[in-house]
Amino acid sequence: MSSPHQFRDHTNVGLELIVVALTLLPFLALLFFYSSLPERIPEYLNLSGDVAVWGRKSLFSVFRLPLMALDLQMLCLLMKYGIWQGIATRNPEDKEPSATYRKEAIKLSLSLWDWFRAFIAIKLGASSLEIIFYSLERFRSLTTVTRITSWTSSILGIAGAAFYGYRLLTVNRKLKETGGRRQIRREINHQNSGAIFYYNPDDPSWFNDRYSPNFANKWVYLFLACLLGLPLLMFLPMLNT
């Protein structure tokens, strides 16, 4: 199977513009209204849309959700890039129909991460603005709009994930039947202690066959940093309420 030439070949410009806009606009809106926000702002909402936890106004508490959205976008984009980068390790001598199923599986995997990115951009973009709408009386009527947007995006996100997940399972089953699910053999000439610390600069993949991160790949460190930063953004405000 011939691998795609460039990562941008799997990039939808329209989708990227929407994701960037919905990720960055909340930063600008919150920055504009920051001085108008009261000293107590909503931190967490319950499922019915009522404020469950109030917190003290600070740069971190106000921009927490947009930062989460940015962090998650980075995670999803890195996962998409990691999948594409791993294509270089595929066997170029695969014949039909194995090569066809493998190509379709990769395309579905990349599309799934794009779907997650769109879902995150819409949901967290709307949720980020709730700080303004719940805090300032003149915008209170817009809370309904953000709640509807948030719930709708969640439903569509789950439905899309189920759709792509089902198609991936179907394609992978066919790929296995054709013998295309062979494990990729890599020459490991660097330390791989207990399959936990894997370091191989010659391996373009992010993970080895046992799903241990390849610490020779610089993108793994950025991915781990984003992964560790997510729970901090989610739960740290509880300590300052």
Side-chain angles (χ1 to χ4, degrees):
M1 180 190 69
S2 58
S3 60
H5 298 292
Q6 300 292 335
F7 182 63
R8 62 173 174 265
D9 293 338
H10 297 282
T11 300
N12 185 304
V13 177
L15 173 65
E16 296 302 322
L17 291 176
I18 293 174
V19 168
V20 170
L22 293 178
T23 301
L24 297 183
L25 285 178
F27 282 100
L28 299 178
L30 289 168
L31 184 63
F32 181 82
F33 287 102
Y34 184 83
S35 60
S36 302
L37 296 176
E39 289 305 314
R40 293 180 69 250
I41 61 172
E43 290 279 11
Y44 299 96
L45 305 179
N46 56 31
L47 294 178
S48 61
D50 299 323
V51 179
V53 178
W54 293 85
R56 292 192 299 271
K57 173 186 171 182
S58 67
L59 286 173
F60 181 80
S61 61
V62 170
F63 291 96
R64 179 179 65 88
L65 284 179
L67 287 172
M68 280 183 57
L70 185 61
D71 187 279
L72 285 169
Q73 288 294 339
M74 287 295 297
L75 283 172
C76 290
L77 189 58
L78 285 168
M79 284 298 301
K80 179 181 176 181
Y81 181 75
I83 293 173
W84 170 81
Q85 193 178 47
I87 296 175
T89 65
R90 301 295 184 183
N91 186 353
E93 298 180 356
D94 280 348
K95 304 299 182 180
E96 298 288 351
S98 174
T100 300
Y101 290 138
R102 191 186 300 281
K103 183 177 181 180
E104 185 177 357
I106 293 171
K107 182 178 179 180
L108 287 171
S109 296
L110 299 180
S111 298
L112 175 61
W113 287 108
D114 277 340
W115 184 269
F116 281 141
R117 294 177 62 217
F119 154 68
I120 291 167
I122 296 173
K123 179 174 176 58
L124 289 185
S127 297
S128 298
L129 298 178
E130 289 176 342
I131 294 179
I132 299 173
F133 300 159
Y134 277 86
S135 300
L136 303 179
E137 186 65 34
R138 62 182 183 273
F139 296 118
R140 192 64 57 82
S141 60
L142 295 177
T143 57
T144 302
V145 177
T146 58
R147 297 308 297 170
I148 293 176
T149 302
S150 179
W151 276 103
T152 302
S153 63
S154 297
I155 294 172
L156 292 176
I158 295 172
F163 170 75
Y164 283 110
Y166 174 76
R167 291 187 63 186
L168 270 171
L169 287 174
T170 302
V171 172
N172 283 332
R173 184 172 62 250
K174 293 178 179 178
L175 188 58
K176 184 176 180 180
E177 292 172 354
T178 60
R181 293 293 294 178
R182 297 185 302 273
Q183 286 191 341
I184 304 164
R185 294 184 178 179
R186 304 184 178 97
E187 294 183 1
I188 302 176
N189 49 20
H190 296 269
Q191 184 177 4
N192 186 13
S193 177
I196 297 177
F197 298 105
Y198 175 58
Y199 188 91
N200 187 356
D202 299 324
D203 187 351
S205 297
W206 291 28
F207 300 91
N208 67 359
D209 291 335
R210 298 183 180 181
Y211 301 102
S212 299
N214 183 8
F215 287 97
N217 192 313
K218 62 183 179 180
W219 294 109
V220 168
Y221 293 94
L222 180 58
F223 176 80
L224 293 176
C226 292
L227 192 63
L228 293 174
L230 189 58
L232 294 177
L233 290 170
M234 293 176 64
F235 302 115
L236 190 60
M238 289 184 176
L239 303 177
N240 300 320
T241 55

